[in-house]
Amino acid sequence: MGIRLQADTFLKVFLLFALLLGVAFQEGYSQTNLSSGDIAITTVNTSGDKSFDFIPLVNLEANTTIKFTNAPYIDANSALDNSEGTLTYTTANAISAGTVISYPGSDVNGFKSTGDFNPAASGDNIIVFQGDRSNPTYLYGIGWASTDNWVYEGDTTTSDVPPTLSESANTIVNLEAGGNYQYNDGNGTRGTVSSLLKLIGNDENWVQQEDQVFSSLSESFTLLTPPTVAFSESTIDSSEGSGKVELSVGLVESNNTEVEVEVVFISNSSTATNGNDFSSYTTQTIKFDDEASNGAIKKVAIDLTDDDDFEGDETAVFQLQNASVGTIIEPDVATLTIKDDDAPNIVINEVLYDPSDAGNKNRDATKNEFVEFVNNSVNDVDISNWTLSNNEGAQFSFPSGTIIPVGHVFVVFTSAPKAANFGGAFLFIAGSLQFNSNGDSIILKDDQDNKVTSFSFSGAESEESLTRNPDITGSFEGHTSADSDDNSSSSPGRKVDGTAFGSKYALGLRGSAGWRLVSTPTKNTSFKDLFGDVWIQGISNSDDEGAEFKNIVGWDEAEKQFINPNSVYDNMIPGRGYAIYVYDDARVEGEEGGFPKVINTNNTDGTVNEENTSPVTVNVSANDADQSGSIDGSDEGWNLLGNPYGAEISVDALFTALKDANPNVNANIAVWDDDKTGGPGYIQLQEGDQEYISPFEAFWVRYEVDGVNTNVTLNKEELASNQDKSLIESSTKDDVELDLTLHGEEGYFDTFTLAFSQNGNTNLNRFDAYQLTSLDINSINLFSIISDKRITTKELPNELETGMEFPLSYSANGRNQLTFKWDINNNIPSDWGLTLIDKEVGREIDLRSAQEYSFSVNSNAKLKAVDEGNRLNKSSEDENGSRFVLAIDPNLESQNNTELPGSIKLNPNYPNPFNPTTTIPYEITEDAEVRLTVWNMIGQKVATLVDGMVEAGTHEETWNAQSMPSGIYIARFEVNGNVFTRKMTLIK
């Protein structure tokens, strides 16, 4: 008898079966079933939130579940231990292979924990599986902090290796360190499944840190399809005389599929020429058949050409392209370096081996020795690690990365030469050349110790250089006879006639990126003519017209502001100075940047501009813009001028011309030295100094009365310096001065000077030097504000009759600690009182009894990131008021008669807190045995500063705690049975 169901009953049964079928369909068919090696863990954080990362190495469908446990697998039970919990991850959507998936340490974003999932830093593991714990499919395992993580030892810190996982298959990772761990993705994130597993499975590719958790890896991994092909080497070196070289192409990973790939020469990226440096090369096709195994190699032969010309080392770049199947992986580019076996044509053109000692008081004349070389090859020459020798052996090694362009000159000096033009030559300072003036050899060798060129000399002392006449090709003779124009004794970096090699007027910009002050020695010279080989921006027709920051400016005294040219094709004004910010980058994309950079006045057609016609007239002015009744502030009265000629001009003769225009000119000019080595950069040159302004050099001059508006006439014949002069600066003046220098911890400093001369007086006078804010954004600027003028050098009379005080201000760009240091000239009378007063802490420091004074700045700011363009205004960032006073008292009684302290004291150290040095002052009433020591807070003595007899008076000792940890220390002062202590705080 048949069974009839009522309609509602049938519907219920149908819906029940449909629901069951749907569940079965979802569990059986809508997730990805994974195998061992389909998952890899990339981060494990065992401290803090217990987070970790993993990546799927196959695509995951939505609703795929993956499970994690830190329970061990126990071989004896053939099962996971039940002692730990399980973390289940379910994909909400499909996920691409290589995606980094992060467990944040809580049940969110598809993660759900059951039981106690809590990996331990002391030693543990994570096992990844799919399915039930009673019958799992093991996918991956990672263990850490044990000698062998994968040998179960009866506790939860280790595990046996689960079935289907193994180190040989790179499906388990064994990390031995402690703490948190992460795969270093710098080792590779692109590869096939097996190559990525190998990278991640190598414990040397992981990094570890104890307390700080790792953030998730930021980029996904890229899965590649096998077979994979790559060059066996990315770089190959060979000599052009070797005849043949081979490129090796490897089958990195095979999948038993035939694959072809092309080896293509990339001419645009190569310096070597196809058909010239090697026989005509056509694209080669490499084939691996379907039976080739992992690591199979195929060779491609390159036939090299040997010639007799020096071309320098050249590169030929080859690339793998157009694989028929699979993937080309890195290295997909091979660079062949063809080393030239010919010597470059480097010419020794001038030698000064026996310099005159005239004008070099108390100096070793051999410091003026130099050798001048010319690159007469047809290519640039890399002289990295080449050596300059004499008969005694190597005297100088050229630094790595030194490349001399074709036609350029390089000069090796014994010591730093006086600032000069040197025709744009590359300059090197050897420190010592030690030429024997009675006879010696000059030998230039390459980095393989092969001789490139040499020159031997013998005979009489000459006190002038030997130079080729004509340059480069001629024989050597004395420079005074070779130079028929003015019989100069030498011309380092320049031709015999004083002009530059390759250009009549050239200048080498050295140092590093930053501002330069320049002018032009030639007429009708545009900004493009002079600066065409350096980057210009923000100006019409420049390399980047739209840039907000304009890196060429001139100064308008009437408007008290810097102005920009309208176009790079505007002509520069003869006698006027300009500021340009020189970037490290090259102007042309693809060319290397760096320094030195050479600028010259060649036109684009190669002709040389003519020198400015003498005389040159240039306008100067001074305007009381703020109607204060005087030229004051930081920007009134300043004029930016420049040397308008191709010869050096005398500073003293320049002041004659400036005073002829208007006598109310300050007796100091400021030139910018880009090789400032931590100093403020500006050098003050004073009227009467035997100094010179080089071609292309600009300088600041200031007129001091309102209403100046006149022309200065610059006559070359009157300004030109004596060409036969010393190459290095020397001074025969018996200077009387006090230099007080303010230092930062990183090497920057600035100096305030009290000078004493017949030109000085106690009031402001034209020999006082004004302070200019440095163009270096990190600089320190120290000055005294006197009658609203910022003074960096105060010129006082030789016979000072009254005491004076000078308030000191500074700008230090956010620094937290500074140090005053001082140099007291021996010519300052010993009975003059010299005192630095710190008004903020109420201290007076006797400059004769202490060597330096460190103090804390009331600022927590760090060095500011100031726009480079802002350095061209005359204001200071972070300017400090007059916290300090420098006092000088010529009427003070002799220090030996100073009143003794009234009591024994251990005064507070300063600064406090400190880092890393502090000064500890103390006073004693009579000569006594003194012991001053420093102790830490656990009673250990860490330093002894004084231990012996000390004269009565006030004393200071400095403790340098560079090697000590931060904390509180005790200064212990023992004298005559009395003990005094002070707490000191070191904060690093």
Side-chain angles (χ1 to χ4, degrees):
M1 179 178 67
I3 300 175
R4 296 182 61 190
L5 299 176
Q6 296 181 358
D8 60 341
T9 303
F10 177 81
L11 180 59
K12 291 177 182 178
V13 173
F14 176 79
L15 291 174
L16 177 60
F17 273 88
L19 180 60
L20 292 173
L21 287 172
V23 171
F25 179 81
Q26 181 180 11
E27 289 188 349
Y29 298 97
S30 65
Q31 76 161 341
T32 304
N33 293 318
L34 303 174
S35 303
S36 63
D38 286 346
I39 297 294
I41 292 178
T42 56
T43 303
V44 174
N45 289 313
T46 61
S47 62
D49 53 18
K50 309 294 185 180
S51 59
F52 66 87
D53 298 339
F54 70 95
I55 58 169
L57 297 176
V58 296
N59 295 330
L60 301 181
E61 299 175 82
N63 301 314
T64 298
T65 59
I66 303 169
K67 297 179 180 179
F68 307 83
T69 183
N70 61 315
Y73 172 80
I74 302 173
D75 253 344
N77 301 332
S78 299
L80 290 168
D81 189 77
N82 291 322
S83 60
E84 306 288 350
T86 300
L87 178 68
T88 301
Y89 172 70
T90 304
T91 60
N93 302 293
I95 295 178
S96 299
T99 302
V100 177
I101 301 171
S102 299
Y103 170 60
S106 58
D107 289 359
V108 295
N109 303 330
F111 289 93
K112 184 177 181 180
S113 57
T114 302
D116 184 20
F117 177 79
N118 188 22
S122 58
D124 214 334
N125 57 263
I126 297 177
I127 295 174
V128 190
F129 64 97
Q130 203 172 36
D132 296 332
R133 286 179 64 134
S134 60
N135 186 28
T137 299
Y138 294 104
L139 307 179
Y140 199 76
I142 184 170
W144 59 88
S146 178
T147 302
D148 192 338
N149 298 293
W150 297 105
V151 177
Y152 183 66
E153 296 178 348
D155 56 40
T156 58
T157 64
T158 58
S159 169
D160 288 324
V161 178
T164 72
L165 304 184
S166 67
E167 286 190 90
S168 60
N170 298 299
T171 49
I172 60 171
V173 183
N174 189 18
L175 303 174
E176 296 183 0
N180 306 312
Y181 315 83
Q182 187 168 73
Y183 169 71
N184 182 359
D185 57 3
N187 292 294
T189 58
R190 298 179 74 251
T192 61
V193 171
S194 61
S195 64
L196 287 177
L197 283 172
K198 185 175 181 179
L199 288 171
I200 299 171
N202 183 352
D203 64 327
E204 294 183 357
N205 292 340
W206 286 68
V207 290
Q208 180 268 335
Q209 55 193 24
E210 288 295 334
D211 300 320
Q212 186 176 354
V213 299
F214 287 100
S215 300
S216 298
L217 294 176
S218 58
E219 295 184 7
S220 298
F221 289 64
T222 301
L223 273 297
L224 305 178
T225 304
T228 54
V229 183
F231 280 114
S232 298
E233 298 174 294
S234 60
T235 58
I236 306 99
D237 290 341
S238 184
S239 170
E240 68 177 6
S242 62
K244 180 179 292 187
V245 65
E246 293 182 328
L247 308 179
S248 297
V249 181
L251 180 63
V252 179
E253 187 172 345
S254 170
N255 68 342
N256 302 118
T257 301
E258 180 182 286
V259 57
E260 293 183 353
V261 65
E262 295 178 345
V263 182
V264 182
F265 172 63
I266 310 298
S267 59
N268 292 339
S269 302
S270 304
T271 58
T273 305
N274 189 5
N276 183 21
D277 298 298
F278 49 90
S279 299
S280 297
Y281 177 85
T282 57
T283 297
Q284 302 291 304
T285 299
I286 296 296
K287 178 180 178 180
F288 295 96
D289 60 33
D290 57 6
E291 296 181 355
S293 59
N294 293 353
I297 298 293
K298 299 284 187 179
K299 302 283 189 178
V300 174
I302 310 293
D303 295 320
L304 303 179
T305 303
D306 194 6
D307 57 37
D308 296 328
D309 298 325
F310 178 78
E311 302 156 315
D313 293 350
E314 298 177 291
T315 57
V317 179
F318 297 85
Q319 186 175 40
L320 298 177
Q321 297 181 0
N322 303 321
S324 58
V325 295
T327 309
I328 298 172
I329 64 173
E330 296 178 351
D332 60 333
V333 172
T335 300
L336 168 63
T337 299
I338 305 172
K339 295 186 174 296
D340 201 326
D341 55 9
D342 301 299
N345 185 11
I346 303 294
V347 176
I348 298 176
N349 194 66
E350 185 178 357
V351 179
L352 180 60
Y353 64 88
D354 180 33
S356 168
D357 59 4
N360 288 280
K361 182 179 181 181
N362 300 323
R363 298 221 185 183
D364 181 359
T366 61
K367 291 183 178 180
N368 289 348
E369 296 171 336
F370 71 82
V371 185
E372 173 190 88
F373 301 88
V374 181
N375 177 13
N376 203 39
S377 304
V378 296
N379 295 95
D380 298 348
V381 177
D382 186 347
I383 63 170
S384 299
N385 304 312
W386 287 22
T387 55
L388 175 61
S389 305
N390 65 0
N391 288 336
E392 298 299 321
Q395 302 297 320
F396 176 68
S397 178
F398 293 90
S400 298
T402 306
I403 298 175
I404 307 299
V406 59
H408 278 61
V409 180
F410 58 104
V411 184
V412 180
F413 288 93
T414 295
S415 63
K418 179 186 180 332
N421 148 3
F422 298 112
F426 292 68
L427 305 184
F428 301 93
I429 309 303
S432 175
L433 290 176
Q434 298 183 347
F435 292 141
N436 185 339
S437 60
N438 294 320
D440 211 336
S441 295
I442 299 170
I443 307 164
L444 182 67
K445 293 184 179 182
D446 66 16
D447 58 346
Q448 302 299 313
D449 206 36
N450 300 310
K451 185 172 75 173
V452 177
T453 187
S454 64
F455 169 66
S456 297
F457 57 87
S458 62
E461 300 177 354
S462 62
E463 298 188 350
E464 63 174 334
S465 72
L466 293 178
T467 185
R468 292 186 185 271
N469 188 22
D471 291 284
I472 301 176
T473 59
S475 301
F476 281 97
E477 62 178 276
H479 199 284
T480 54
S481 62
D483 185 2
S484 58
D485 292 335
D486 55 14
N487 305 115
S488 63
S489 62
S490 64
S491 57
R494 295 166 292 176
K495 296 180 181 179
V496 172
D497 62 5
T499 61
F501 285 86
S503 171
K504 189 172 183 181
Y505 306 106
L507 174 68
L509 301 176
R510 310 175 201 287
S512 57
W515 288 101
R516 305 295 192 278
L517 299 184
V518 295
S519 62
T520 176
T522 55
K523 64 177 65 174
N524 301 320
T525 299
S526 70
F527 294 98
K528 181 71 171 179
D529 289 335
L530 189 57
F531 302 120
D533 289 332
V534 300
W535 181 267
I536 306 174
Q537 67 180 40
I539 302 167
S540 177
N541 301 305
S542 64
D543 299 298
D544 183 3
E545 296 184 10
E548 182 178 354
F549 173 52
K550 302 170 176 60
N551 67 322
I552 297 180
V553 293
W555 175 253
D556 187 325
E557 192 280 331
E559 297 295 329
K560 307 296 176 292
Q561 65 180 9
F562 285 90
I563 56 174
N564 306 107
N566 294 320
S567 167
V568 296
Y569 293 108
D570 289 352
N571 280 342
M572 303 173 71
I573 300 173
R576 187 67 63 189
Y578 300 88
I580 177 172
Y581 189 88
V582 183
Y583 292 94
D584 181 71
D585 304 319
R587 184 182 66 81
V588 181
E589 185 177 357
E591 291 185 357
E592 292 187 4
F595 287 82
K597 300 178 187 294
V598 177
I599 62 174
N600 59 66
T601 55
N602 282 0
N603 283 321
T604 54
D605 60 3
T607 61
V608 180
N609 289 8
E610 294 183 4
E611 186 174 63
N612 289 314
T613 302
S614 179
V616 168
T617 60
V618 59
N619 181 260
V620 292
S621 63
N623 295 277
D624 181 15
D626 60 6
Q627 300 298 307
S628 66
S630 66
I631 298 299
D632 53 20
S634 59
D635 53 9
E636 292 180 349
W638 287 104
N639 294 265
L640 182 56
L641 307 182
N643 179 359
Y645 301 116
E648 293 167 330
I649 61 176
S650 163
V651 168
D652 203 30
L654 173 63
F655 273 106
T656 299
L658 294 172
K659 289 191 296 183
D660 286 345
N662 189 296
N664 298 292
V665 63
N666 184 263
N668 301 272
I669 64 172
V671 297
W672 175 252
D673 179 10
D674 55 281
D675 187 21
K676 46 198 169 297
T677 60
Y682 280 111
I683 299 173
Q684 300 283 350
L685 304 179
Q686 192 175 84
E687 179 182 331
D689 287 347
Q690 297 302 308
E691 300 286 352
Y692 304 92
I693 304 293
S694 298
F696 295 95
E697 191 163 31
F699 53 90
W700 289 99
V701 60
R702 191 175 194 180
Y703 282 87
E704 299 185 317
V705 298
D706 183 31
V708 173
N709 187 5
T710 187
N711 289 329
V712 175
T713 300
L714 303 175
N715 187 299
K716 181 180 180 182
E717 287 68 28
E718 296 174 356
L719 297 176
S721 63
N722 177 10
Q723 296 297 315
D724 186 14
K725 63 180 185 301
S726 170
L727 293 172
I728 61 175
E729 295 184 69
S730 61
S731 175
T732 59
K733 295 191 303 181
D734 293 329
D735 296 326
V736 182
E737 63 183 35
L738 166 64
D739 292 326
L740 184 69
T741 305
L742 183 61
H743 293 258
E745 294 178 337
E746 70 298 278
Y748 280 89
F749 65 90
D750 195 12
T751 302
F752 175 74
T753 298
L754 292 180
F756 302 86
S757 72
Q758 60 184 3
N759 297 318
N761 58 59
T762 56
N763 298 319
L764 279 178
N765 65 86
R766 60 183 297 267
F767 283 90
D768 297 334
Y770 296 113
Q771 198 265 357
L772 279 166
T773 300
S774 174
L775 300 180
D776 185 341
I777 63 171
N778 294 316
S779 66
I780 292 173
N781 298 275
L782 175 65
F783 48 91
S784 179
I785 298 179
I786 305 174
S787 299
D788 294 326
K789 296 179 174 65
R790 300 195 329 184
I791 302 298
T792 187
T793 298
K794 179 70 186 87
E795 198 87 13
L796 294 169
N798 279 324
E799 302 298 329
L800 188 64
E801 297 179 354
T802 183
M804 299 190 69
E805 292 187 349
F806 300 93
L808 297 177
S809 299
Y810 62 85
S811 62
N813 205 358
R815 290 169 172 85
N816 292 321
Q817 186 161 343
L818 298 168
T819 300
F820 277 111
K821 300 180 182 181
W822 42 87
D823 181 14
I824 303 174
N825 189 284
N826 290 332
N827 294 312
I828 295 180
S830 60
D831 58 351
W832 283 15
L834 304 173
T835 308
L836 178 65
I837 303 170
D838 185 343
K839 296 186 297 183
E840 184 172 298
V841 299
R843 288 205 57 80
E844 295 187 4
I845 300 92
D846 182 353
L847 301 191
R848 296 188 187 276
S849 63
Q851 288 74 48
E852 59 183 50
Y853 176 69
S854 298
F855 62 95
S856 298
V857 181
N858 292 329
S859 170
N860 293 322
K862 301 300 182 184
L863 292 179
K864 299 177 182 177
V866 182
D867 184 342
E868 293 287 3
N870 292 340
R871 297 308 299 170
L872 283 177
N873 62 38
K874 296 296 184 296
S875 63
S876 298
E877 296 82 10
D878 192 30
E879 186 170 311
N880 183 276
S882 300
R883 169 178 172 177
F884 295 93
V885 173
L886 176 60
I888 181 169
D889 187 355
N891 299 314
L892 194 68
E893 293 182 354
S894 172
Q895 294 295 319
N896 294 329
N897 297 324
T898 301
E899 183 179 350
L900 292 175
S903 61
I904 300 173
K905 292 181 182 179
L906 175 62
N907 293 314
N909 64 299
Y910 61 91
N912 193 30
F914 65 97
N915 179 24
T917 61
T918 188
T919 299
I920 307 171
Y922 64 91
E923 302 174 11
I924 54 176
T925 57
E926 60 185 8
D927 297 356
E929 289 281 346
V930 170
R931 185 173 177 82
L932 178 60
T933 53
V934 181
W935 301 71
N936 62 23
M937 292 302 291
I938 61 174
Q940 296 172 321
K941 183 173 66 176
V942 297
T944 298
L945 305 181
V946 180
D947 189 3
M949 183 65 69
V950 177
E951 293 181 353
T954 300
H955 303 273
E956 293 183 337
E957 296 294 335
T958 299
W959 180 44
N960 188 332
Q962 181 67 51
S963 61
M964 297 290 106
S966 297
I968 296 176
Y969 293 84
I970 304 297
R972 179 182 174 91
F973 177 54
E974 302 171 63
V975 58
N976 294 338
N978 300 301
V979 178
F980 306 84
T981 61
R982 290 277 185 182
K983 286 187 178 180
M984 307 182 296
T985 304
L986 171 63
I987 299 178
K988 292 188 174 181

